[in-house]
Amino acid sequence: MNFRRYYVPNAIVFITQVVEWRTPVFDEPRWVELLLVTLRNVKERHPFAMLGYVILPDHLHLLIKPAPPETHSTVMQSFKPNFTHAYKEIT
């Protein structure tokens, strides 16, 4: 399938991100803290408004509004590898 992403300036975007194999990583508070620190760091590089979030054991939901010229893709392309790298470095 060929999916196209549509970018609407100043749009609020709902994102769901699932942990690989649905491993309950976020049962541990230290990984939740790492996730929040990573989000703050990404927000400095790719500005966005965090309107809400929910962190569950094996996935998370984000409600963000990227600041142009950023998009939800640039935010997530920074967030996911940075969190994974930090997580693997610690474990």
Side-chain angles (χ1 to χ4, degrees):
M1 291 181 138
N2 186 13
F3 291 102
R4 290 191 159 216
R5 288 194 176 100
Y6 293 95
Y7 302 108
V8 179
N10 297 311
I12 296 170
V13 184
F14 178 79
I15 298 169
T16 299
Q17 184 64 52
V18 178
V19 176
E20 186 176 37
W21 307 114
R22 287 216 175 250
T23 306
V25 171
F26 303 122
D27 272 346
E28 290 191 46
R30 67 182 176 153
W31 302 130
V32 173
E33 183 58 33
L34 179 63
L35 177 106
L36 296 174
V37 167
T38 304
L39 275 172
R40 281 186 221 111
N41 292 339
V42 168
K43 189 175 179 181
E44 289 177 13
R45 284 178 266 159
H46 305 283
F48 62 91
M50 174 66 72
L51 303 172
Y53 63 87
V54 176
I55 302 171
L56 297 156
D58 63 352
H59 69 284
L60 61 111
H61 301 285
L62 304 173
L63 193 58
I64 65 171
K65 182 179 177 185
E70 303 298 339
T71 66
H72 58 281
S73 290
T74 57
V75 170
M76 295 307 289
Q77 285 169 0
S78 180
F79 167 67
K80 290 175 11 177
N82 281 297
F83 175 81
T84 301
H85 177 75
Y87 176 82
K88 287 182 176 181
E89 197 171 87
I90 295 170
T91 56

